[in-house]
Structure formats: C-alpha cells, structure tokens
Amino acid sequence: MYHSWLDRWDEQRAQRGEAAKESTPFILDAERAFPGANKFASLEEFCRLAEQAAVDPAFFEEPGGSDQGFQRRDEWLTFPSGISTEIEENNVVWAKITKSGSFDKAMVVFHHWNAGARNRQIAKYFSRRGVTVVEMAMPYHFERSRPGSVYADHMLSSNLGRTIQSVRQAVWDGRKLIRWLRSEGYRQISVLGMSLGSWVAGIIAAHDSAVSKASLFLTGGSLADMVWTGRATRSIRAGLEQNIGLADLRRAWAPLNAENYAQRLAQRGLDLHVVLAKRDKVVLPELSERFMQRLEDAGAKPNILKLNCGHYSVGMPPYILLAGLSLKRFLSFR
C-alpha cells in the first residue's frame, strides 16, 4: 500500500516537471560537439567522431586550460568556463562554497537536471563534519541559465551536438574547479553527482586522478538509454525518434556513456559509492544494474545502496536519511 502511494507521488512529481518541457527539433550540430567537424556532417560521420572521442582521454581534457580568472567573494566563487557559448551567462561558472574548519577535505557537488535550488542541507551537514562543500552550477542552470528559459533545455536535448558540448563543458568546468581546490591546499577531494550530475561526476572521476572518492546517486551508464526510456525525458525522445533509433543514439552519445569509462573508474586509488532507487522510472533499474555489472567486470568494487523508492522520492524520509548515512560512512567522516 505504501509503495503504491510512493509510486503515485513520484508520477505526480514527474508530471509537474513535465509541464514546462517542449519537444525541440532533432539537430546533429557536429561542429558544436567536435570543433572542426564538417558543418554538414551526416549521422554516420557524427557517430564515427563520437566513437573516436569516447576512446580519446584528451576529449575531456581542456586544451591549454587557464587557471586564471578565479574570483572569490564571501561564499561565492566565479571563473570563466573553458568553453564559450553564445549564451553569455553560461560562460561564467558559479560555485557556492560552504567552508568547514578543515582545509584538507573538499567535496564538489553536481546537481540534477533542472535543479531548482542548491543542496543547502547536504552542504550544512558535511561542512559541520570537516568537509568543505562546493556546489557548482552546471551549464544552463542557476546563474548560468539562458535568459527567458524555464528549464535547462540546452543542457540535455534532441540537439545531439549541443548535449555533448554541454556535458563536456560541465566536465571541463568541474576539473578546473578541482585544480583550484588543489591550489588552495585541499588534498582529499571527492565528487558527488545526482542523476544527470552523476554522469558528470563519473566522467570527471574517470579522467581526473585528483579525485579520490566518487559518489553517484541515481546513476546509469548509457545516457542515450536513459533519455530514450526515462520518464523525465519523454519530450526529448519525441524530438529524436522520428530521426534516429536507439542504436545510433548510443553511438552518437558514446562519449557520454559512463560504461565506456568502467576500466578508468576501476583504477587503483578511486573509491566508488552508488545509491540506486529500485522503483526509479527516470533512470530505469536495469540501466543501473548493467552499469554496476560493467564496473564489477572491470574490477571495481562499488559500495552500492539500493533503496525501495523512486527517483524523486529518494529525497523523502527515510530514504534521504539512509542515503546520507551511507554517504557519510563511505567518506569515512566521524
């Protein structure tokens, strides 16, 4: 009875989030994803470039990245993004810093798609336990939002190239932020990603040796599968399915498939923590299970917590408390 009510609550929450979303046209936009690509690239050309990027570690390494331009004012940090877009607001990265009494441990938080607020409770909780929490605005969110937009349609959409550019931008921005934290003296750096943020956190952890612990909430491997099957992305699928099938979408978004980085995530020295929802309709459990199996096959030993709730109800008691306690134990805070 309770879980039937929980499922209905999750569906009602999904319907509220769906109200503002509109289906947008399918666009390849290869030049945006892969600078220098043929402006009139075919889908096959796009997929070939994407598959090459997925096996190129340099794709998520900002070329000649500058660590200049950081400005700190009270609890706010701003710095220029490594990727310049036509949306001026999106080109400046904003991060909120909740300091602790320690200058050794820091955790960078990557929020979910269309987040309406930062995670004040998480920041407060862990900062009191000796961890400085840094909450970075992902592309087209919060202070970086596109003027006039009601949701972050430029971060994740049926524009294949812009979606790759946006996730790549989030990864570059996150890595630049981590370099700054290292320069400030922090030596133990963790990343925490939630839903879409877990893809960003996972890709960063796979490519950046400065990250010692990665916690992924409500995650899956293939972003293509998540968009195709998920409750929150029906409007995106509507723009895709008349022009591309799931098999080709997987190829086109190969750089965004965390399964492709399982070997990297299994590297020595990186600890993994995963929180999954058994009743998730946004990131289907079978996608998460496939990702977990890929990690284990690669030699990783993720600490996995499975909660009997949905994607949105993970934020309700008792599930949020169980997830928080599991994260606290994983990070070894006393």
Side-chain angles (χ1 to χ4, degrees), residues 205-248:
H207 290 80
D208 200 321
S209 60
V211 176
S212 58
K213 293 177 181 287
S215 180
L216 311 177
F217 278 43
L218 307 173
T219 195
S222 169
L223 190 69
D225 282 84
M226 186 278 282
V227 166
W228 198 263
T229 61
R231 177 65 181 85
T233 49
R234 290 177 177 177
S235 62
I236 298 177
R237 176 172 174 171
L240 291 169
E241 60 186 345
Q242 297 302 314
N243 303 278
I244 189 172
L246 178 55
D248 278 336

Side-chain angles (χ1 to χ4, degrees), residues 133-168:
V133 178
V134 186
E135 302 171 88
M136 191 193 90
M138 294 206 297
Y140 306 105
H141 287 80
F142 301 132
E143 301 84 6
R144 306 176 69 177
S145 296
R146 180 170 61 87
S149 64
V150 293
Y151 72 104
D153 57 338
H154 275 29
M155 177 81 190
L156 184 62
S157 73
S158 51
N159 182 320
L160 302 189
R162 187 161 57 201
T163 296
I164 289 178
Q165 182 195 60
S166 297
V167 175
R168 190 186 195 193

Side-chain angles (χ1 to χ4, degrees), residues 110-112 191-205 214-227 229 256-259 261 265 272-278 280-293 295 302-307 310-311 314:
F110 299 92
H111 54 77
H112 62 273
V191 292
L192 167 62
M194 303 174 184
S195 194
L196 181 59
S198 74
W199 268 265
V200 174
I203 293 172
I204 289 173
S215 180
L216 311 177
F217 278 43
L218 307 173
T219 195
S222 169
L223 190 69
D225 282 84
M226 186 278 282
V227 166
T229 61
L256 312 183
N257 186 344
E259 292 180 17
Y261 310 117
L265 288 167
L272 291 172
H273 173 251
V274 181
V275 175
L276 304 175
K278 296 180 183 180
D280 202 331
K281 299 297 191 296
V282 175
V283 182
L284 298 187
E286 51 261 41
L287 300 183
S288 301
E289 292 295 340
R290 191 174 72 193
F291 182 29
M292 295 304 101
Q293 187 60 56
L295 287 172
N303 181 329
I304 304 171
L305 173 66
K306 299 179 182 179
L307 300 172
H311 194 85
V314 74

Side-chain angles (χ1 to χ4, degrees), residues 87 184 204 228 322:
I87 307 301
E184 291 291 300
I204 289 173
W228 198 263
L322 295 171

Side-chain angles (χ1 to χ4, degrees), residues 54-61 175 202-209 258-270 272 295 298 300:
V55 296
D56 180 8
F59 187 73
F60 288 110
E61 184 83 41
R175 296 190 67 182
I203 293 172
I204 289 173
H207 290 80
D208 200 321
S209 60
E259 292 180 17
N260 289 330
Y261 310 117
Q263 197 67 46
R264 286 177 165 272
L265 288 167
Q267 64 187 298
R268 185 190 303 272
L270 176 64
L272 291 172
L295 287 172

Side-chain angles (χ1 to χ4, degrees), residues 32 81-87 90-91 165 169:
R32 194 185 297 270
S81 175
I83 290 179
S84 180
T85 67
E86 69 273 23
I87 307 301
N90 184 50
N91 299 334
Q165 182 195 60
Q169 183 177 28

